[in-house]
Amino acid sequence: MPALEHSSDAERDSPGEGRLRHAPAEHPALPRAKVGVVLVNLGTPDATDYWSMRRYLGEFLSDRRVVDYSRWLWQPLLQLVILTRRPFISGKAYRSIWNQERDESPLLTITREQTEKLSERLETAYGDQVEVDFCMRYGNPSTDSVLRRLQARGCERILFFPLYPQYGSPTTATANDQAFRTLMRLKWQPAIRTVPAYYRHPAYLEALTASVREAYAAAESTPEVLVASYHGVPKRYLDEGDPYYCHCRQTTRLLQERLGVDDAAIETTFQSKFGPEEWVGPATVERVAELARQGRRHIAVISPAFSADCVETLEEVQQEIRDAFLAAGGETFTYVPCLNARDDHVAALEAIVRQELAGWL
């Protein structure tokens, strides 16, 4: 029979790493039983060249949670048409925001920093009982490699934390799917919990509100409208029961309450439309231009659905959407950065983790 990978301290001769109490003398030393916490984000290409982008986009756009068209129709179109051209376009977008110093995407840089800061906080609270790591749904570090690494380090229980405040089937659900796929291949599965949507969590809302107030205080002039721009989804997702659209609308309303502004001072819009079908709206790029034509000279844009700045915020919002506003007559455009590794954001993540670890530690 194969050696057990790890076991609880109650079964050992002494706490920590050591031999199982009833194991034969030749049984290898085992890691102490721990709890793993995994922060999960969307993903990133390894580089901006054509083949790196093609691998990343191929994995992303082949996910049935992202594009659920019939495979026999979608895959030929994806492989023969979209993936011959799109890697060049996306590679250019990524190059415009790439972290040249570390040769990686900003999303990877920020998620690593979030993980390191959260790890420090949890170490203060729990000592060495908790291992904190991060993975990506698409690209590297992969979900499978990180879950297996944590298990090898003794994590018999794992809290899986998709960094999406609002639940969405193309985001939260597919991240969880990937974790479950790894469990399906393991002989000994760790116990696993998934963190639910946290858009209503007071600590998250406090951090979001503080980020807006700080951006307004630093702006050249006070923005007339705050545009809360969320990643869009096809309208039929809402009709089929996906709560994402409703969670986004509620996030804006809760943010509005904390800012104490009226309805005219904040709006909900959606960006990143892909494909020919109808998506939820209004579209951010169209709405900001309309605001400029209506005489709004200074607006601010925030992206509450993203926990870390990425190509959709650094390139799409700060370049494409900004240009649309200015071209239509707008004068000043303020971007409110994602919460990233702000101390209040990491504190919010810690509060959520500690809440979800109840009964385990």
Side-chain angles (χ1 to χ4, degrees):
M1 189 172 177
L4 298 176
E5 294 181 16
H6 45 75
S7 189
S8 65
D9 286 342
E11 297 173 303
R12 303 166 196 270
D13 288 329
S14 60
E17 191 167 300
R19 190 173 64 84
L20 287 178
R21 183 171 298 160
H22 303 294
E26 66 273 14
H27 197 288
L30 303 172
R32 176 182 179 183
K34 299 178 182 179
V35 173
V37 175
V38 184
L39 299 184
V40 191
N41 220 316
L42 181 74
T44 172
D46 295 324
T48 61
D49 62 277
Y50 173 83
W51 289 109
S52 296
M53 292 304 309
R54 182 174 177 121
R55 281 193 302 273
Y56 172 70
L57 292 172
E59 183 181 8
F60 174 52
L61 295 175
S62 293
D63 185 351
R64 295 278 293 163
R65 290 282 195 181
V66 175
V67 181
D68 60 359
Y69 301 149
S70 170
R71 295 187 69 84
W72 70 271
L73 286 175
W74 174 244
Q75 279 299 319
L77 177 62
L78 175 65
Q79 299 298 331
L80 300 177
V81 179
I82 296 172
L83 291 181
T84 60
R85 297 178 300 177
R86 189 70 189 180
F88 293 110
I89 299 170
S90 295
K92 181 180 179 181
Y94 270 96
R95 281 191 292 276
S96 72
I97 57 108
W98 202 248
N99 182 342
Q100 298 295 339
E101 182 179 348
R102 302 195 67 156
D103 192 24
E104 63 188 24
S105 73
L107 179 67
L108 181 56
T109 304
I110 295 165
T111 306
R112 182 188 297 107
E113 187 177 1
Q114 291 170 333
T115 303
E116 291 170 350
K117 286 189 171 184
L118 179 62
S119 180
E120 291 173 3
R121 285 176 170 269
L122 294 179
E123 184 177 3
T124 300
Y126 300 116
D128 63 355
Q129 297 180 76
V130 177
E131 289 267 349
V132 185
D133 211 331
F134 74 95
C135 68
M136 298 293 173
R137 169 60 183 88
Y138 315 104
N140 296 303
S142 71
T143 301
D144 184 80
S145 67
V146 171
L147 291 180
R148 290 176 183 273
R149 180 163 67 239
L150 286 175
Q151 188 181 50
R153 290 176 180 171
C155 294
E156 297 180 353
R157 302 177 181 186
I158 294 176
L159 181 67
F160 196 73
F161 192 167
L163 291 175
Y164 307 111
Q166 304 80 19
Y167 177 95
S169 57
T171 51
T172 314
T174 190
N176 291 338
D177 288 347
Q178 197 72 349
F180 301 148
R181 288 188 187 99
T182 292
L183 264 61
M184 290 171 65
R185 293 189 292 267
L186 293 175
K187 292 295 184 184
W188 184 4
Q189 297 175 335
I192 193 163
R193 290 178 179 174
T194 61
V195 175
Y198 56 95
Y199 67 97
R200 298 179 62 89
H201 196 284
Y204 162 73
L205 290 168
E206 287 168 13
L208 199 64
T209 304
S211 73
V212 174
R213 288 181 174 148
E214 290 171 16
Y216 272 42
E220 298 175 21
S221 59
T222 303
E224 300 162 82
V225 180
L226 174 64
V227 177
S229 178
Y230 301 85
H231 198 291
V233 293
K235 185 177 180 298
R236 63 184 170 83
Y237 282 31
L238 172 63
D239 299 334
E240 293 167 356
D242 190 315
Y244 176 74
Y245 175 82
C246 298
H247 285 185
C248 293
R249 301 287 301 188
Q250 291 179 57
T251 304
T252 302
R253 177 179 58 79
L254 293 167
L255 176 60
Q256 178 183 353
E257 291 175 358
R258 281 160 176 74
L259 290 171
V261 299
D262 59 30
D263 292 347
I266 189 167
E267 296 194 7
T268 298
T269 63
F270 296 87
Q271 64 185 81
S272 309
K273 183 177 185 287
F274 177 83
E277 67 180 302
E278 182 182 3
W279 280 41
V280 295
T284 305
V285 69
E286 297 172 1
R287 182 57 185 154
V288 298
E290 185 178 356
L291 287 170
R293 290 191 291 268
Q294 292 174 350
R296 306 297 178 91
R297 294 291 174 257
H298 186 178
I299 67 169
V301 175
I302 188 171
S303 300
F306 297 96
S307 62
D309 276 307
C310 54
V311 71
E312 284 87 355
T313 63
L314 299 175
E315 194 276 336
E316 186 176 1
V317 173
Q318 293 203 66
Q319 297 179 37
E320 178 185 347
I321 291 170
R322 178 195 294 268
D323 290 348
F325 175 69
L326 298 178
E331 295 177 1
T332 53
F333 181 100
T334 296
Y335 173 63
V336 182
C338 292
L339 295 178
N340 296 326
R342 290 170 54 106
D343 288 341
D344 53 3
H345 184 214
V346 178
L349 299 180
E350 180 193 7
I352 295 166
V353 166
R354 296 183 71 163
Q355 173 182 301
E356 296 300 324
L357 287 179
W360 275 6
L361 290 171

mmCIF file with all atom_site columns, all heavy atoms in Angstrom, residues 23 60 119 123 286 321:
data_model
loop_
_atom_site.group_PDB
_atom_site.id
_atom_site.type_symbol
_atom_site.label_atom_id
_atom_site.label_alt_id
_atom_site.label_comp_id
_atom_site.label_asym_id
_atom_site.label_entity_id
_atom_site.label_seq_id
_atom_site.pdbx_PDB_ins_code
_atom_site.Cartn_x
_atom_site.Cartn_y
_atom_site.Cartn_z
_atom_site.occupancy
_atom_site.B_iso_or_equiv
_atom_site.pdbx_formal_charge
_atom_site.auth_seq_id
_atom_site.auth_comp_id
_atom_site.auth_asym_id
_atom_site.auth_atom_id
_atom_site.pdbx_PDB_model_num
ATOM 1  N N   . ALA A 1 23  ? 2.775   3.682  12.374  1.00 0.00 ? 23  ALA A N   1
ATOM 2  C CA  . ALA A 1 23  ? 3.403   3.362  11.097  1.00 0.00 ? 23  ALA A CA  1
ATOM 3  C C   . ALA A 1 23  ? 4.651   2.515  11.312  1.00 0.00 ? 23  ALA A C   1
ATOM 4  O O   . ALA A 1 23  ? 5.279   2.567  12.373  1.00 0.00 ? 23  ALA A O   1
ATOM 5  C CB  . ALA A 1 23  ? 3.772   4.643  10.365  1.00 0.00 ? 23  ALA A CB  1
ATOM 6  N N   . PHE A 1 60  ? -8.573  30.053 -22.713 1.00 0.00 ? 60  PHE A N   1
ATOM 7  C CA  . PHE A 1 60  ? -9.643  30.926 -22.222 1.00 0.00 ? 60  PHE A CA  1
ATOM 8  C C   . PHE A 1 60  ? -10.914 30.783 -23.065 1.00 0.00 ? 60  PHE A C   1
ATOM 9  O O   . PHE A 1 60  ? -12.016 30.539 -22.536 1.00 0.00 ? 60  PHE A O   1
ATOM 10 C CB  . PHE A 1 60  ? -9.134  32.373 -22.235 1.00 0.00 ? 60  PHE A CB  1
ATOM 11 C CG  . PHE A 1 60  ? -10.165 33.407 -21.895 1.00 0.00 ? 60  PHE A CG  1
ATOM 12 C CD1 . PHE A 1 60  ? -10.942 33.301 -20.743 1.00 0.00 ? 60  PHE A CD1 1
ATOM 13 C CD2 . PHE A 1 60  ? -10.346 34.522 -22.711 1.00 0.00 ? 60  PHE A CD2 1
ATOM 14 C CE1 . PHE A 1 60  ? -11.886 34.264 -20.417 1.00 0.00 ? 60  PHE A CE1 1
ATOM 15 C CE2 . PHE A 1 60  ? -11.287 35.485 -22.394 1.00 0.00 ? 60  PHE A CE2 1
ATOM 16 C CZ  . PHE A 1 60  ? -12.060 35.363 -21.247 1.00 0.00 ? 60  PHE A CZ  1
ATOM 17 N N   . SER A 1 119 ? -0.651  36.454 3.441   1.00 0.00 ? 119 SER A N   1
ATOM 18 C CA  . SER A 1 119 ? 0.099   35.421 4.145   1.00 0.00 ? 119 SER A CA  1
ATOM 19 C C   . SER A 1 119 ? 0.691   35.972 5.437   1.00 0.00 ? 119 SER A C   1
ATOM 20 O O   . SER A 1 119 ? 0.661   35.318 6.491   1.00 0.00 ? 119 SER A O   1
ATOM 21 C CB  . SER A 1 119 ? 1.211   34.871 3.246   1.00 0.00 ? 119 SER A CB  1
ATOM 22 O OG  . SER A 1 119 ? 1.942   33.868 3.901   1.00 0.00 ? 119 SER A OG  1
ATOM 23 N N   . GLU A 1 123 ? -0.334  34.614 9.090   1.00 0.00 ? 123 GLU A N   1
ATOM 24 C CA  . GLU A 1 123 ? 0.728   34.059 9.938   1.00 0.00 ? 123 GLU A CA  1
ATOM 25 C C   . GLU A 1 123 ? 0.667   34.683 11.327  1.00 0.00 ? 123 GLU A C   1
ATOM 26 O O   . GLU A 1 123 ? 0.876   34.007 12.341  1.00 0.00 ? 123 GLU A O   1
ATOM 27 C CB  . GLU A 1 123 ? 2.099   34.298 9.309   1.00 0.00 ? 123 GLU A CB  1
ATOM 28 C CG  . GLU A 1 123 ? 3.238   33.671 10.098  1.00 0.00 ? 123 GLU A CG  1
ATOM 29 C CD  . GLU A 1 123 ? 4.583   33.844 9.440   1.00 0.00 ? 123 GLU A CD  1
ATOM 30 O OE1 . GLU A 1 123 ? 4.660   34.505 8.382   1.00 0.00 ? 123 GLU A OE1 1
ATOM 31 O OE2 . GLU A 1 123 ? 5.580   33.321 9.985   1.00 0.00 ? 123 GLU A OE2 1
ATOM 32 N N   . GLU A 1 286 ? -19.682 53.508 -24.983 1.00 0.00 ? 286 GLU A N   1
ATOM 33 C CA  . GLU A 1 286 ? -20.727 54.351 -25.578 1.00 0.00 ? 286 GLU A CA  1
ATOM 34 C C   . GLU A 1 286 ? -21.283 55.335 -24.564 1.00 0.00 ? 286 GLU A C   1
ATOM 35 O O   . GLU A 1 286 ? -21.568 56.499 -24.896 1.00 0.00 ? 286 GLU A O   1
ATOM 36 C CB  . GLU A 1 286 ? -21.846 53.466 -26.132 1.00 0.00 ? 286 GLU A CB  1
ATOM 37 C CG  . GLU A 1 286 ? -21.392 52.555 -27.265 1.00 0.00 ? 286 GLU A CG  1
ATOM 38 C CD  . GLU A 1 286 ? -22.467 51.549 -27.657 1.00 0.00 ? 286 GLU A CD  1
ATOM 39 O OE1 . GLU A 1 286 ? -23.575 51.578 -27.065 1.00 0.00 ? 286 GLU A OE1 1
ATOM 40 O OE2 . GLU A 1 286 ? -22.186 50.713 -28.545 1.00 0.00 ? 286 GLU A OE2 1
ATOM 41 N N   . ILE A 1 321 ? -11.518 53.574 -23.439 1.00 0.00 ? 321 ILE A N   1
ATOM 42 C CA  . ILE A 1 321 ? -12.685 54.258 -22.882 1.00 0.00 ? 321 ILE A CA  1
ATOM 43 C C   . ILE A 1 321 ? -12.369 55.721 -22.588 1.00 0.00 ? 321 ILE A C   1
ATOM 44 O O   . ILE A 1 321 ? -13.190 56.616 -22.836 1.00 0.00 ? 321 ILE A O   1
ATOM 45 C CB  . ILE A 1 321 ? -13.187 53.498 -21.638 1.00 0.00 ? 321 ILE A CB  1
ATOM 46 C CG1 . ILE A 1 321 ? -13.785 52.155 -22.089 1.00 0.00 ? 321 ILE A CG1 1
ATOM 47 C CG2 . ILE A 1 321 ? -14.199 54.312 -20.842 1.00 0.00 ? 321 ILE A CG2 1
ATOM 48 C CD1 . ILE A 1 321 ? -14.111 51.192 -20.972 1.00 0.00 ? 321 ILE A CD1 1
#
